[in-house]
């Protein structure tokens, strides 16, 4: 099921790919508390993420996200599989992907960057630290970084 949280005109569109309801709730709280206008779309597994990104099935009218927050440990298709497919698709590869996961394993970090993740964030265990991490991420990605516009086909 997709959830959307909107807080104003022309908000940043963020796809959160996360199967842990607690982490979804904390992420939602952090986004709601932030000053940055954003729509947060939530899918709970890798296969659903690919359907959303490729606008297939129930997601044929889904918006193109400006950024993807991607957990690595997902049902049906792993975060690694989602990242691989996303970055292999010429129409989608310019969407920045931030891996947001509980794994601190060096091999997961290295592999994510090899697959062209734009950043790797480890989820803090403490809820307040988790919210602060999301706020810092949002501040950086939506006030400092220039994100690409949707690529038009030529």
């Amino acid at each position: 099921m997709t959830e959307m949280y909107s807080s104003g005109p022309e908000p940043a569109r963020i796809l959160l790919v996360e199967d842990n309801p607690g982490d979804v709730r904390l992420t939602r709280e952090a986004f709601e508390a932030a000053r940055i206008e954003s729509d947060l779309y939530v899918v709970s597994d890798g296969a659903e993420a690919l359907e959303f990104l490729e606008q297939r099935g129930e997601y044929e009218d889904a918006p193109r996200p400006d950024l993807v927050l991607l957990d690595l440990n997902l049902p049906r298709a792993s975060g690694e599989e989602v990242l691989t497919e996303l970055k292999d698709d010429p129409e989608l590869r310019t969407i920045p992907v931030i891996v947001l996961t509980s794994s601190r394993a060096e091999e997961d970090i290295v592999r994510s960057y090899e697959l062209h993740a734009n950043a790797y964030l480890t989820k803090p265990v403490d809820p307040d630290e988790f919210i602060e991490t999301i706020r810092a991420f949002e501040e950086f990605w939506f006030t400092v970084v220039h994100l690409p516009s949707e690529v038009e086909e030529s």
Side-chain angles (χ1 to χ4, degrees), residues 118-132:
N118 297 84
Y120 190 101
L121 299 175
T122 303
K123 297 177 195 170
V125 176
D126 178 82
D128 291 334
E129 288 179 25
F130 185 97
I131 288 172
E132 189 53 42

Side-chain angles (χ1 to χ4, degrees), residues 65-127:
D66 296 308
L67 188 136
V68 175
L69 278 173
L70 179 65
D71 189 14
L72 289 181
N73 304 309
L74 297 166
R76 298 200 324 157
S78 70
E80 197 172 287
E81 290 172 284
V82 172
L83 186 56
T84 299
E85 287 206 34
L86 184 64
K87 295 303 182 177
D88 283 347
D89 186 322
E91 293 181 24
L92 300 174
R93 72 172 50 130
T94 59
I95 299 171
V97 177
I98 313 309
V99 172
L100 180 63
T101 188
S102 55
S103 174
R104 295 181 183 275
E106 185 67 22
E107 61 267 20
D108 287 341
I109 297 168
V110 169
R111 184 70 181 141
S112 294
Y113 283 115
E114 285 175 347
L115 294 173
H116 307 288
N118 297 84
Y120 190 101
L121 299 175
T122 303
K123 297 177 195 170
V125 176
D126 178 82

